[in-house]
Amino acid sequence: MLNQSTTTSHDAARPRASDPTFVLAQHGRSAVGLGVRRQWTSAADASRALRSGEASVVVGCLPFDGRQPAALFEPASWYPEADDAADPLLGVTDAIFDRLPVRTVHQDPAPAEHVARVARAVAMARAGTLDKVVLARALRLELEDPTTAVELLRRFVADDRQGNGYLVSLPADSGLPGGHMVGSSPEALIERAGLDVYTHPLAGTAARQPEDRDLDREAALTLQTSHKDLDEHRYVVDAIESVLRPLCAELDVPPLPTLTHTERIWHLGTPIRGVLADPAQTALDLAAALHPTPAVCGSPQRAAFEHILATESPRGFYAGAVGWCDASGNGHWRVLLRGAHLAADGRTLTARAGGGIVADSNPEAELAETRLKFTPVLNALGVQERAEALLAATAGPGTPA
């Protein structure tokens, strides 16, 4: 992560409100926006507002499908470096949360259909139609009682070893669904501080075995030497390099990925650092240029993108990007993963999880990977110990949980 200097803020003090419209948290600090001063539904329009001086900062999220409306806005008040530990909004590192009772659960598609979809994608990869495609499925949870986005954010941040968390308010107009996107993403899409840029794509996944250090080490080594996962990761790194190389005077791309991990998952990751050749390229410009990477879409991009649209229900903001950019071009954008859309009623959460499918993928293993990636949401609800029962529920009108 880059060491970013404090950006211009509308208010110097830390946030005092408990209902933010935007939060991006990491390592015990967060960027927080309150209220909405003006908003945009396209990254191009928001970028023009930054360049013209109409806006001093733009925050929000980009959808997976760039043809759909974005949720970008300038907050009425902006706190670029709030201290979570001193802030009652997020100071919950040692908190223990009660379970939020789940009334029903619905999977889209059902597990068997997801396995069939993956099998079809594997056949396409083996036939050379696709190199890689990322297929996801949705989990809709109905809560007994309403909750708030801030409450969920606290839970996500407390559960993440790096204190990652995001929250974006979605206005119920301009084609947007209302409610909030909230979660904890492990993946940096792009960070910019001055001319320095950084990205850390993740692709290639294995379940951790934290209760047994030897098994955990074995799982990590198996991932690090897996031809299937190394190939999947290489597609992502090559695509990012092809975007950044023409924009950078210097670009360092390590030849091999390294291991990184969350509490439950090992990932292959490649930290990429560069120096921009053109200072006019803002963090928002770079995020829009990079998105969607093969980590969330596939390769070749167009063929994978069209296959996803023809196969899945609309992703909305899942696998999009969440972050901020100020008028100097600095900013931080993360891939919008490991979270959910909380509807305006506070009762309905829709989470999505997916995995990269290549010629060597195993459909049952890919289903297991989606279950693993749903765990941050289930843990935020306090129902992780009942995860197997929840995820064994079938699609349909809803299963009591």
Side-chain angles (χ1 to χ4, degrees):
M1 180 175 178
L2 300 177
N3 293 320
Q4 299 206 36
S5 59
T6 303
T7 57
T8 301
S9 63
H10 299 152
D11 298 274
R14 66 180 176 86
R16 295 175 297 278
S18 60
D19 192 18
T21 50
F22 174 84
V23 179
L24 190 67
Q26 188 178 41
H27 297 306
R29 302 190 70 80
S30 56
V32 178
L34 305 177
V36 176
R37 181 166 291 172
R38 56 180 63 82
Q39 63 188 62
W40 303 269
T41 57
S42 82
D45 289 344
S47 186
R48 279 192 290 271
L50 286 170
R51 288 193 171 90
S52 69
E54 177 188 350
S56 61
V57 64
V58 169
V59 307
C61 50
L62 306 176
F64 172 74
D65 182 350
R67 299 169 301 181
Q68 299 303 311
L72 298 170
F73 57 93
E74 180 182 25
S77 300
W78 173 238
Y79 308 89
E81 290 194 25
D83 185 347
D84 297 349
D87 180 7
L89 177 66
L90 293 178
V92 293
T93 302
D94 298 322
I96 298 176
F97 296 104
D98 293 333
R99 181 171 66 91
L100 296 179
V102 177
R103 183 170 58 196
T104 61
V105 59
H106 178 97
Q107 298 187 65
D108 177 24
E113 176 57 22
H114 186 72
V115 168
R117 289 179 178 183
V118 171
R120 289 192 289 270
V122 168
M124 294 174 69
R126 291 177 178 173
T129 307
L130 293 167
D131 295 323
K132 172 185 175 179
V133 63
V134 178
L135 292 182
R137 63 193 191 103
L139 183 68
R140 189 175 72 245
L141 301 160
E142 300 285 344
L143 304 182
E144 291 282 358
D145 301 305
T147 188
T148 67
V150 169
E151 170 71 4
L152 282 179
L153 178 64
R154 291 189 178 112
R155 291 164 174 262
F156 276 110
V157 171
D159 187 53
D160 187 89
R161 60 188 293 268
Q162 294 185 328
N164 286 311
Y166 61 82
L167 178 154
V168 180
S169 177
L170 305 176
D173 56 21
S174 303
L176 298 174
H180 295 80
M181 297 304 301
V182 60
S184 176
S185 172
E187 186 168 357
L189 178 63
I190 195 72
E191 297 180 52
R192 184 195 138 160
L195 294 180
D196 295 330
V197 294
Y198 171 78
T199 179
H200 193 183
L202 306 179
T205 300
R208 294 196 62 199
Q209 306 293 332
E211 71 288 347
D212 188 315
R213 294 181 64 180
D214 290 336
L215 287 178
D216 196 38
R217 190 179 301 111
E218 182 180 344
L221 180 61
T222 299
L223 176 64
Q224 200 168 24
T225 56
S226 163
H227 291 297
K228 177 259 183 188
D229 290 286
L230 289 169
D231 286 347
E232 179 186 340
H233 189 84
R234 193 72 238 172
Y235 291 130
V236 180
V237 172
D238 288 348
I240 289 175
E241 183 175 5
S242 70
V243 172
L244 292 182
R245 182 72 67 183
L247 303 176
C248 289
E250 302 173 22
L251 190 67
D252 177 30
V253 183
L256 291 173
T258 54
L259 288 166
T260 185
H261 64 87
T262 66
E263 294 294 333
R264 304 170 187 87
I265 301 175
W266 285 107
H267 287 294
L268 294 178
T270 297
I272 300 172
R273 292 177 171 82
V275 179
L276 287 174
D278 181 2
Q281 291 287 333
T282 70
L284 177 55
D285 295 330
L286 295 169
L290 287 167
H291 173 71
T293 75
V296 295
C297 182
S299 181
Q301 185 189 70
R302 175 50 54 184
F305 181 78
E306 291 176 352
H307 183 76
I308 290 167
L309 294 188
T311 303
E312 297 180 16
S313 59
R315 288 183 172 185
F317 290 101
Y318 165 74
V322 57
W324 61 270
C325 180
D326 65 19
S328 66
N330 293 334
H332 183 175
W333 293 83
R334 301 186 75 78
V335 183
L336 202 154
L337 301 169
R338 310 293 197 276
H341 173 245
L342 176 66
D345 63 8
R347 293 178 181 268
T348 305
L349 282 91
T350 303
R352 284 181 165 80
I357 314 304
V358 294
D360 292 335
S361 293
N362 177 288
E364 290 289 346
E366 295 297 334
L367 175 65
E369 183 172 328
T370 64
R371 287 174 171 154
L372 181 64
K373 290 176 176 176
F374 279 132
T375 56
V377 174
L378 297 173
N379 213 47
L381 298 176
V383 296
Q384 179 55 32
E385 73 282 358
R386 298 168 61 243
E388 287 303 317
L390 288 172
L391 294 176
T394 57
T399 301

